[in-house]
Amino acid sequence: MPKLWKDTVAEHRRDVRAAILETAWALARERGVRGVTMGLVAERAGISRATLYKYFRGVDEMLVAGHAEHVAEHLAHLENLRDEARSAGAGLYAMLQGYARICFHRGSSVATDLHGLVHRGEEHQRHSADVTTLFAKAVRGAQECGQVRTDVAAEELAAFSIHALEAAGQASAARAVDRLVDLAAEALHLQVETAGPGPR
């Protein structure tokens, strides 16, 4: 098979898969997990059920796959925030803001049964470990620059920050999210005057 044809087929498959995952998540938010069927996903995505079954065996599988892609996108976004900042402390502060906003959006848009489905099992544990590792690296970098307390291990500070910011999922407004970020930054002794706007 010519390379151009292979590339075209692979691109088509990626597009179909992306359409399936987007459709499944939209339906789950609209109807709840148990309100989603393979037939409905196929209809909304504009494909046949036979085609759909070539990609996924069931609704739960595609929703978990969709969540995995969301996590990968979130990790890439947080890494970009860190890398684009002017200092290690600024990068960490930007990550705190970014993660809090992710949690806030998730809390306001994801149905309870969907949240329960994708936040369990070994894959979820791997996702959680990846997030903690990313934050620990950012904390360690800020510690090395003297912008974060060093009396607590980076891994512990990372875990604390993540759990504290997950409260943003229950926040009622963006201002509450900002306050959580500033509280986490204060607990880290993060030098917010060099890392971001900080408390007002």
Side-chain angles (χ1 to χ4, degrees), residues 1 33 42 47 93 133 153 159 173-174 180 184:
M1 181 184 295
V33 173
I47 60 176
Y93 189 86
T133 298
L180 281 172

Side-chain angles (χ1 to χ4, degrees), residues 113-130:
D113 59 350
L114 178 55
H115 184 276
L117 171 67
V118 299
H119 289 91
R120 68 187 187 196
E122 292 183 4
E123 188 164 11
H124 173 60
Q125 291 176 2
R126 286 195 297 272
H127 294 160
S128 297
D130 289 341

Side-chain angles (χ1 to χ4, degrees), residues 43-65:
E43 180 184 348
R44 289 278 187 94
I47 60 176
S48 68
R49 289 186 62 174
T51 298
L52 179 59
Y53 277 102
K54 290 179 181 179
Y55 289 84
F56 298 100
R57 294 169 294 181
V59 171
D60 287 6
E61 182 182 339
M62 68 179 74
L63 291 174
V64 170

Side-chain angles (χ1 to χ4, degrees), residues 95-115:
M95 285 178 61
L96 295 176
Q97 288 181 313
Y99 189 72
R101 288 167 184 166
I102 288 170
C103 293
F104 177 62
H105 174 73
R106 182 178 66 202
S108 63
S109 63
V110 178
T112 301
D113 59 350
L114 178 55
H115 184 276

